[in-house]
Amino acid sequence: MAKKPNPLKITDLTFRDGHQSLLATRMRTEDIEAIAEAAGKVGYHAMEVWGGATFDTMHRFLGEDPWERPRRLRRYVPKDVKFQMLLRGQNLVGYRNYADDVVEAFVDEACDAGIEIFRVFDALNDERNFETAARAIKRNGMHFQAALSYTVTERKMGGAIFTLEYWVEKAKTFASMGADSICIKDMAGLLAPDDAYALIKAIKKATKLPVELHCHTTSGLAEYTFQRAIDAGVDIIDTCSSPFANRSSHPAVEPIVVMLQGTDRDTGLDLDRLNEVAEYLERIGPKYRHLLDTTRMAVVDIGVLMHQVPGGMLSNLVNQLRQAGAEDRLGDVFRELPRVRKDLGYPPLVTPTSQIVGVQAVQNVLFGNPDGSLEERYKMISGQVKDYCYGLYGCPPAEINPELRKLALKGYPRGEEPISCRPADILEPELEKAKAEVGDLAKDRKDLLLYTLFPTTGKRLLRVKYGLEAPPEEWKPRTLEDAEREAELCRKALAGELVEKPKAEPPAGARTYKVYVDGEAFEVAVEAPEGAPPVVTSVTPAAPAAPAAPAAPAPKPAEPAPAPTAEAAAPAAAAAKAALEAPMPGMVVDVLVGPGDPVKAGDVVVILEAMKMENALEAPADGVVGEVRCAKGDNVAKGDVLVTIN
């Protein structure tokens, strides 16, 4: 078939944003390798295989060295298909701004690992957070694609902030910084078709650069938006293989290929190869199906058009509330989200601001009073919100609520007056300090960067990598056989075919999964004896949420108790303690006190990372530290006692 004069180019997101959107970024490298050769021969312009959340989830949950994935995949994918990554500007692949020496080293090592196209974005669209990464990318001779983090204040483009002129001016700024192309990054699926047409036309006219369009299908608009974008002359669009498409992911590639066949925008992609990839993903799908949220009947979430929460952020919120035993508060969180976003100056909801806004909204609902004053709403303020209010993330599109800023910066270690300079200008170089901390455990600069970006979980990966500790049980891969056995047992449980047995504790070493089947939850215990395949040992319906207890009648006034004797009172006083409990599930990042240390109520004693945000947990009372029941790196459940105070 003769090549058309103006083919639409396609970037494949299946092996990064596809499984990040649907499967919590849990796809293993070995499962990608098995189909990489076929995917590489489809005819894609580029394949996004790295960046975003992959760096975090690979080392934290899969036990894989993230630097190895691009190298391994390049063995199977032809050189003419470019490898692409998503880079969060000065945040890199983490959740805060890093010093310039870290950014420069990371880009250098990413180029060495095989990344050729760097899609760079900043959650606030603050061009100052692009500068260091852009220079390093250009110095390495790679492609710098500047992304606009698209958002709205109403339901369409316009209003007081996010006008057509706003986006075009941002694109012109990025072009002046040396961008090789512009990406419109529509992470929540909010870009309306006619707005896309106007925006693409205007950016191409103003910058003369190629324009790529990235739309999530959460709201159901994306396919219609793509149609108008193609009419407007968009150069590249992002799609996924059909099994990893739709819901909160991206449009499926196959219908678009067929739609454009025979036109002057014919993609030229190989449908037979596309079918081979899709069939493979369907075959291995059961290994990951437990991560797919199928509790909703609808594939389209029209709620995003009202609350503007991106799909990945939504799944995080639901999971956070589930872990806290507060799924029934999701409606309250949706009502609080736009208020928090307004308080913080209308940041686009994309990593890390989606986590910053989302987690703060959850904390306002669970620990504050959403109907009260600002101080009553913001009872617990995450460390990242404090950093944001200080200016460490950059300049938001609108002004931060002055009352919130004052509250957040009260006692803030860097100072109570926010900065106005480029955030990285006040950050000291980090690599030498990190090198002194990690010592010989980091064998090269890639190891050092892993530790620098993720000190606790990165160090654990390095210790396992170099044989200093055994890999944790949760890193073991799930097999198709595991999935088939669990599905069969769940089917029998739903059909009432299982004989009810007294519930027993799972054996030591068993792993417990919560599996959702047709809206019902089951707890499945999987035993994996050494040297033997995993065996499902029990399937039980998950315990339903306990109903609220009826209010007890007010007790009658009791007769005054006789005063205790001195001998009886002394032991009771000695036993009196206050306990700091984990307010939510999370990982202990730091413990700032030890047994015997004096503390005052309000002193920060533990730093807890929950929902990817750090929270400073304060002593509940004056006294002396009794027991410290947690250590750095510990995973804790809601209600676990972390520190006792005598």
Side-chain angles (χ1 to χ4, degrees):
M1 182 176 65
K3 189 173 182 180
K4 298 298 179 181
N6 187 27
L8 178 68
K9 295 177 180 178
I10 305 285
T11 295
D12 176 62
L13 307 183
T14 304
F15 302 130
R16 205 285 297 176
D17 208 2
H19 69 104
Q20 178 169 324
S21 297
L22 299 181
L23 306 175
T25 334
R26 296 298 199 273
M27 196 173 187
R28 292 181 173 273
T29 303
E30 63 193 43
D31 287 333
I32 302 176
E33 280 182 308
I35 198 62
E37 185 173 0
K41 293 179 180 177
V42 163
Y44 290 123
H45 158 69
M47 292 172 64
E48 188 183 64
V49 297
W50 210 56
T54 57
F55 202 94
D56 186 353
T57 56
M58 286 177 69
H59 88 273
R60 186 188 298 254
F61 299 115
L62 306 182
E64 296 186 18
D65 184 341
W67 294 105
E68 288 301 309
R69 180 170 289 180
R71 292 183 185 281
R72 288 171 61 176
L73 296 183
R74 182 49 81 188
R75 301 172 191 161
Y76 305 95
V77 177
K79 275 285 189 182
D80 60 338
V81 180
K82 303 298 183 185
F83 274 3
Q84 178 173 306
M85 78 164 292
L86 182 68
L87 190 78
R88 300 168 183 157
Q90 203 80 20
N91 285 191
L92 298 176
V93 288
Y95 307 103
R96 65 171 176 87
N97 277 347
Y98 297 95
D100 286 337
D101 65 329
V102 181
V103 175
E104 291 170 357
F106 185 92
V107 171
D108 290 347
E109 294 296 342
C111 293
D112 181 69
I115 301 302
E116 298 156 292
I117 300 175
F118 289 78
R119 175 174 294 170
V120 184
F121 79 95
D122 177 66
L124 298 177
N125 289 309
D126 187 336
E127 58 271 11
R128 300 173 303 172
N129 290 331
F130 287 69
E131 291 175 7
T132 304
R135 283 197 303 270
I137 293 164
K138 301 294 282 186
R139 174 168 48 77
N140 278 279
M142 299 303 174
H143 185 109
F144 164 40
Q145 182 180 84
L148 302 167
S149 296
Y150 184 81
T151 190
V152 294
T153 51
E154 303 300 328
R155 292 182 190 165
K156 298 187 78 174
M157 185 167 64
I161 304 172
F162 301 112
T163 62
L164 177 64
E165 292 73 25
Y166 171 91
W167 297 114
V168 171
E169 286 304 311
K170 286 290 181 184
K172 288 166 66 176
T173 298
F174 294 145
S176 70
M177 295 170 66
D180 297 295
S181 60
I182 300 293
C183 173
I184 303 168
K185 180 177 167 58
D186 176 23
M187 52 275 176
L190 299 174
L191 181 59
D194 286 344
D195 288 344
Y197 184 91
L199 185 54
I200 290 164
K201 283 281 191 185
I203 290 175
K204 288 179 71 69
K205 180 178 180 181
T207 68
K208 313 301 182 193
L209 292 175
V211 174
E212 183 158 359
L213 182 56
H214 171 101
C215 287
H216 286 257
T217 48
T218 315
S219 69
L221 283 174
E223 285 88 349
Y224 307 104
T225 299
F226 272 7
Q227 185 95 48
R228 287 295 279 151
I230 293 167
D231 294 342
V234 72
D235 298 278
I236 314 163
I237 61 172
D238 292 353
T239 64
C240 287
S241 178
S242 52
F244 281 16
N246 300 321
R247 295 188 181 272
S248 57
S249 182
H250 302 267
V253 62
E254 298 89 350
I256 294 171
V257 171
V258 172
M259 178 182 75
L260 294 176
Q261 279 183 335
T263 72
D264 64 346
R265 303 304 310 272
D266 193 323
T267 65
L269 298 193
D270 187 330
L271 269 173
D272 290 332
R273 294 283 189 186
L274 287 172
N275 186 56
E276 183 181 348
V277 173
E279 287 183 344
Y280 167 80
L281 295 175
E282 287 287 357
R283 284 198 304 274
I284 69 162
K287 292 170 62 172
Y288 300 103
R289 190 168 288 140
H290 65 291
L291 298 163
L292 180 65
D293 182 8
T294 56
T295 54
R296 289 173 50 88
M297 288 184 65
V299 174
V300 169
D301 178 11
I302 60 169
V304 74
L305 298 173
M306 273 71 80
H307 55 62
Q308 301 182 12
V309 178
M313 179 182 171
L314 178 59
S315 61
N316 282 338
L317 289 178
V318 172
N319 189 49
Q320 290 153 15
L321 291 171
R322 182 179 293 149
Q323 289 179 339
E327 289 175 86
D328 59 323
R329 305 297 302 276
L330 184 60
D332 295 332
V333 172
F334 279 152
R335 284 185 286 276
E336 182 65 8
L337 267 165
R339 301 173 69 197
V340 174
R341 187 181 180 219
K342 181 180 179 181
D343 286 340
L344 292 176
Y346 288 106
L349 296 179
V350 63
T351 305
T353 51
S354 56
Q355 281 88 348
I356 291 172
V357 173
V359 170
Q360 192 59 57
V362 169
Q363 293 183 170
N364 287 4
V365 167
L366 296 185
F367 310 119
N369 177 12
D371 298 321
S373 66
L374 186 131
E375 285 196 13
E376 291 171 328
R377 285 171 57 212
Y378 289 90
K379 281 287 188 184
M380 179 184 286
I381 301 179
S382 75
Q384 279 71 18
V385 167
K386 295 176 181 180
D387 292 344
Y388 179 97
C389 289
Y390 185 67
L392 284 185
Y393 286 89
C395 182
E399 185 182 3
I400 295 173
N401 183 328
E403 288 183 57
L404 173 58
R405 175 171 260 161
K406 183 178 180 181
L407 182 64
L409 296 183
K410 184 179 180 181
Y412 183 72
R414 292 179 181 270
E416 298 189 357
E417 286 299 316
I419 60 171
S420 58
C421 62
R422 184 180 77 105
D425 286 344
I426 70 165
L427 300 178
E428 295 292 329
E430 298 184 57
L431 286 180
E432 284 303 315
K433 180 183 176 184
K435 188 174 182 180
E437 291 173 352
V438 73
D440 294 338
L441 185 58
K443 307 301 182 188
D444 55 27
R445 194 164 64 162
K446 289 182 174 65
D447 285 350
L448 178 60
L449 284 163
L450 174 61
Y451 171 79
T452 306
L453 298 174
F454 301 97
T456 303
T457 54
K459 187 174 184 179
R460 180 176 66 166
L461 187 283
L462 293 176
R463 288 184 60 80
V464 173
K465 177 180 176 180
Y466 295 117
L468 299 177
E469 65 179 74
E473 183 71 23
E474 61 265 24
W475 284 1
K476 288 186 178 179
R478 191 167 185 263
T479 67
L480 281 172
E481 290 75 16
D482 293 339
E484 289 165 4
R485 279 191 289 268
E486 291 163 15
E488 177 62 14
L489 281 168
C490 289
R491 185 197 66 75
K492 288 181 178 180
L494 281 173
E497 297 174 9
L498 295 179
V499 178
E500 189 171 343
K501 298 179 180 179
K503 188 172 180 180
E505 289 296 317
R511 300 162 66 183
T512 302
Y513 300 92
K514 184 173 279 189
V515 180
Y516 295 86
V517 181
D518 295 334
E520 295 193 40
F522 295 87
E523 288 185 355
V524 180
V526 180
E527 185 177 5
E530 188 171 347
V535 176
V536 177
T537 57
S538 67
V539 177
T540 57
K556 294 179 181 179
E559 293 294 325
T565 63
E567 291 81 4
K577 290 183 179 181
L580 172 63
E581 297 181 352
M584 64 195 91
M587 183 181 69
V588 175
V589 175
D590 205 357
V591 180
L592 305 179
V593 294
D597 288 350
V599 293
K600 291 188 176 296
D603 288 351
V604 177
V605 294
V606 174
I607 306 295
L608 181 71
E609 181 194 89
M611 304 174 278
K612 300 180 182 177
M613 298 290 109
E614 292 184 2
N615 296 276
L617 305 187
E618 300 174 349
D622 295 351
V624 175
V625 174
E627 296 179 273
V628 175
R629 300 186 184 178
C630 62
K632 288 178 66 171
D634 284 355
N635 290 308
V636 297
K638 179 187 177 185
D640 283 356
V641 175
L642 308 179
V643 175
T644 63
I645 299 172
N646 295 337

